[in-house]
Amino acid sequence: MESSLRSAAFGDGVPPPSFFAVPASPRGRLLAAIGLGARGRYAAAATLLNGLRTGKDPVVASLAASTLASHRRQLGGHAAALVLDGEALARVITEPRGEPDPDGLDAEGARADALLGLAADNLGRGRLAAARRLLTRADVHTGNWRTRTRAGWVGAEIELASNISAAAIAPAEMAWKTALARGACRHVVKSQLVLGVTIANAGSAERERAKALVESARETAEKYEFNSLLWVACLVEADFGAGHADEYRFRGAEVLHAVLRHADPCGRWLARESPWVPL
């Protein structure tokens, strides 16, 4: 079951038949929570992650905290995510390297997750200098594929926020190519969104490529029910001036409200209070 959950989280995106059963092992529960969060089922994910955060295994506890932080951030709660990412870093800051995991579910990967999360949290709060420092501290060049992909997202978003759009293309391209090479369906979807937006903001002549990337992201997110990304993809595609812009905006709002129905009270409150979530 754990291998199927890992594939759903970091591979082909197809959930196992027993996806909503609670796995016995802490690692299995972590993978299940990652898959649930990808589908916008934040309340179910939070139940699993909050239990893991207090567990004896510092690596799993750290990964659980940083995963919950990413769910809070996806609903616009950057300040709430900052606290959780700080907790994640504290759990593994002195943890020895240990046995490496191909997807970064190890001490080094957990440290990188926490630092990249903190960078994204500071970015969302307008603290660009702090975000850059934290991205550098994550030591992404020696990390696993997932660390490199996430670093590409954060690096591109920092450049976009700094109004240096041309500099955002390289990290966005790197993230997309890394996710493609791993065959990580969900990470490819987000990378397509980041790259598409980056190309468009750079005023590039490749606007048609940007539109194609965003369209592919929306179609794949719809196919695999990656609702945490689908509502964003719909709104981005509408902003590209697609022929069905009103339809995409309606679909984006529909998916977002479905996500909020499956969020825990904290997640719903964060979304309502956030300027980033179009309610």
Side-chain angles (χ1 to χ4, degrees), residues 213-269:
L213 285 163
V214 172
E215 181 179 10
S216 175
R218 177 187 55 77
E219 290 174 346
T220 305
E222 187 88 61
K223 178 180 179 181
Y224 292 104
E225 298 182 347
F226 294 147
N227 288 344
S228 63
L229 295 171
L230 178 56
W231 70 268
V232 179
C234 288
L235 297 182
V236 171
E237 189 160 8
D239 287 345
F240 267 84
H244 302 282
D246 289 342
E247 178 183 330
Y248 292 141
R249 286 193 182 92
F250 178 83
R251 179 60 178 145
E254 183 180 50
V255 175
L256 174 57
H257 285 284
V259 166
L260 294 178
R261 286 197 302 272
H262 289 96
D264 59 317
C266 178
R268 288 195 295 273
W269 182 84

Side-chain angles (χ1 to χ4, degrees), residues 127-142:
R127 299 172 177 174
L128 300 185
R132 286 186 186 278
R133 288 195 299 271
L134 288 157
L135 176 60
T136 301
R137 281 188 61 193
D139 194 20
V140 298
H141 299 295
T142 61

Side-chain angles (χ1 to χ4, degrees), residues 70-164:
S70 73
H71 297 171
R72 299 308 192 209
R73 201 161 47 244
Q74 286 160 14
L75 292 176
H78 294 86
L82 186 74
V83 175
L84 288 162
D85 281 318
E87 173 189 315
L89 184 60
R91 291 300 301 263
V92 289
I93 191 68
T94 59
E95 192 68 16
R97 183 180 295 269
E99 188 70 23
D101 180 272
D103 299 312
L105 303 185
D106 51 35
E108 286 294 303
R111 272 191 288 273
D113 272 7
L115 287 166
L116 290 171
L118 288 166
D121 301 331
N122 278 278
L123 171 61
R125 303 185 76 194
R127 299 172 177 174
L128 300 185
R132 286 186 186 278
R133 288 195 299 271
L134 288 157
L135 176 60
T136 301
R137 281 188 61 193
D139 194 20
V140 298
H141 299 295
T142 61
N144 62 85
W145 72 270
R146 195 167 58 81
T147 295
R148 293 193 302 276
T149 300
R150 294 187 69 226
W153 299 340
V154 176
E157 289 165 358
I158 289 172
E159 301 302 346
L160 286 174
S162 303
N163 293 316
I164 315 175

Side-chain angles (χ1 to χ4, degrees), residues 24-97:
S25 70
R27 184 66 58 92
R29 292 197 294 278
L30 173 66
L31 291 166
I34 292 170
L36 287 164
R39 287 159 179 81
R41 294 181 172 269
Y42 292 127
T47 298
L48 295 174
L49 294 169
N50 282 324
L52 294 169
R53 285 168 57 201
T54 58
K56 294 181 179 179
D57 185 331
V59 172
V60 171
S62 174
L63 290 165
S66 58
T67 300
L68 185 57
S70 73
H71 297 171
R72 299 308 192 209
R73 201 161 47 244
Q74 286 160 14
L75 292 176
H78 294 86
L82 186 74
V83 175
L84 288 162
D85 281 318
E87 173 189 315
L89 184 60
R91 291 300 301 263
V92 289
I93 191 68
T94 59
E95 192 68 16
R97 183 180 295 269

